[in-house]
Amino acid sequence: MRHLLTLEELDRAALTRLLDRAERFRSGGAPRELLAGRTVLTLFFEPSTRTRTSFVLASKRLGADTLNFDLSHSSTSKGESLLDTLHTLEAMGLDALVVRHGENGMPAYLAQHANTRVSVINAGDGTHAHPTQGLLDALTIRQRRRDLENLHVVICGDIRHSRVARSDVRALHTLGVRDIRLCAPGAMLPESPAEFPGCATTEDFDDAVQGADVVIMLRIQKERMAAAQFPEAADYHTHYGLDTRRLALAKPECQVLHPGPINRGIEIAPEVADGRQSRILDQVANGVAVRMAVLAELLAPPA
Ligand code: CP
C-alpha cells in the first residue's frame, strides 16, 4: 500500500489487517517512536473537526512531525496552483499528505503527481469516498459483533451525496455483510442502483429498520445540494429521523452510528444520539486508532 484513496484498493485480508492493527492501537499498543523522523501534513479544503484532529493526534501518537497546512494564509490565495503547492511541500521532506477536497478524485490526482516518497491519504473527496470513515465504522460495528455476515444494516439519510455511505458499503461488503438497506426520500437515493451494487433501497424507514442490527444515520449535506432540494426539517424528521419509537422497531441491541457532525432533531433525536445504543463517541475514539493504523501501514509497514 502506497496511498489510501478508496477502499476498493483493499481486499478482505488487507482490510482485516488494518482493523486488527487499529484494535491493538486502541488498547494502548502503539510504539510512540514508530514514525519518528517522518512528516505528516494535513491539507483540508473543506471544514472538519473529527477527521483532521484525529489524523493530527494519530500522527503525534506515533511520533511523527505533524503540520496543518493553513490554506487561508498560504500562497494558494495568491494563485499558486495545487500541483506547485504539492511540489513545494514535497521539497520540504514530506512523507504523507492527508487531503480533503470538495471535488471527486482530487486526492487521486495529487497521488498521480506526488513524488515516490510521498503517500497520499484521502480524508474525503466530494461525494466519492471517505475511506478512513468506512474503516472506523467497520471497526466500531465489529467491536460488538464478529458475525458480520449475519448483520442487517440500514443506512438512512442523504445517500446520494454521501461519501461516507459509499465507503461504508464498500467496507462492509468486503468484510462479508450481505444485507445492507439504503433508505432515503427519492431525491436522496442513489441516481443509479449500480452505484451501490448488492444493496436494497427503500423510501420507507419504518419498514427498513425492522429487526436491524445496525443503523447508520447520515447528515443532510446542504453544501452539496441545490437550495430547491432542501427538505423541510420537521417533515424530514417525521419520515426519516431516528427517534426512540423507530429505534424500538430494530433489535434491542441495535447499534446506532452517525459519522458526525449531527443535526439534532433532524436526522437523529437527541435522546437517541445520547442514548444507550449510540456508538457515536466510540466512532470518534476509533477514528484516532484507525488513522494510526493507516499511517503506520503506509509509513512503517510490518516487516
Ligand atoms: N465524519 C467526518 O468526516 O467528520 P468531520 O467533517 O468533522 O471530519
Side-chain angles (χ1 to χ4, degrees):
M1 229 172 107
R2 179 168 158 221
H3 306 291
L4 179 65
L5 302 173
T6 71
L7 293 181
E8 273 72 2
E9 298 146 26
L10 302 180
D11 62 15
R12 188 169 183 161
L15 213 148
T16 302
R17 193 176 64 236
L18 267 176
L19 298 187
D20 291 347
R21 203 167 191 191
E23 225 162 48
R24 288 196 295 278
F25 288 157
R26 180 84 212 264
S27 45
R32 292 199 71 90
E33 300 307 318
L34 191 69
L35 299 186
R38 315 304 292 273
T39 303
V40 176
L41 185 134
T42 67
L43 174 61
F44 276 49
F45 292 85
E46 286 188 334
S48 168
T49 295
R50 280 147 284 269
T51 311
R52 188 171 198 157
T53 308
S54 58
F55 264 114
V56 169
L57 283 173
S59 168
K60 285 179 184 286
R61 284 182 190 167
L62 292 172
D65 295 327
T66 311
L67 300 160
N68 280 319
F69 186 80
D70 180 356
L71 267 178
S72 60
H73 292 94
S74 76
S75 289
T76 55
S77 60
K78 297 181 218 161
E80 189 162 45
S81 76
L82 195 48
L83 286 187
D84 284 336
T85 304
L86 170 69
H87 298 316
T88 301
L89 296 168
E90 282 173 343
M92 297 181 199
L94 196 62
D95 294 291
L97 182 64
V98 180
V99 188
R100 172 170 286 189
H101 202 284
E103 215 174 294
N104 291 3
M106 195 53 89
Y109 173 76
L110 290 175
Q112 265 169 18
H113 291 87
N115 73 31
T116 52
R117 176 194 157 97
V118 174
S119 292
V120 177
I121 302 171
N122 182 2
D125 60 330
T127 59
H128 175 232
H130 193 346
T132 55
Q133 184 74 44
L135 290 170
L136 76 89
D137 287 350
L139 179 66
T140 304
I141 295 167
R142 203 183 75 153
Q143 281 169 334
R144 296 261 170 99
R145 288 287 298 266
R146 288 280 167 172
D147 59 332
L148 295 177
E149 58 287 348
N150 297 324
L151 291 186
H152 161 187
V153 177
V154 178
I155 305 179
C156 180
D158 186 7
I159 312 277
R160 183 173 296 185
H161 301 98
S162 178
R163 56 195 179 206
V164 173
R166 285 171 175 78
S167 290
D168 279 356
V169 165
R170 184 67 199 193
L172 294 173
H173 271 160
T174 301
L175 291 169
V177 178
R178 291 188 293 256
D179 184 0
I180 304 181
R181 300 177 200 178
L182 308 177
C183 178
M188 295 185 197
L189 281 172
E191 286 181 84
S192 155
E195 285 183 65
F196 290 89
C199 295
T201 58
T202 178
E203 295 185 40
D204 185 338
F205 193 19
D206 277 0
D207 185 49
V209 85
Q210 296 275 350
D213 297 290
V214 176
V215 179
I216 302 173
M217 299 303 297
L218 300 174
R219 182 175 68 88
I220 297 181
Q221 301 187 65
K222 290 189 174 178
E223 69 274 24
R224 300 192 209 289
M225 290 182 195
Q229 291 176 294
F230 296 174
E232 203 275 310
D235 188 50
Y236 185 84
H237 189 67
T238 301
H239 293 98
Y240 295 101
L242 188 61
D243 55 15
T244 49
R245 179 197 71 76
R246 220 165 239 141
L247 184 56
L249 302 173
K251 294 214 178 104
E253 296 311 316
C254 175
Q255 307 182 50
V256 176
L257 278 72
H258 189 307
I262 61 176
N263 295 304
R264 288 173 181 265
I266 302 181
E267 70 266 4
I268 191 163
E271 56 273 23
V272 173
D274 303 328
R276 168 185 80 79
Q277 289 162 261
S278 173
R279 306 293 315 280
I280 295 171
L281 294 179
D282 294 319
Q283 288 173 272
V284 176
N286 286 334
V288 179
V290 154
R291 286 158 184 139
M292 288 169 77
V294 167
L295 288 167
E297 188 75 17
L298 293 173
L299 301 183

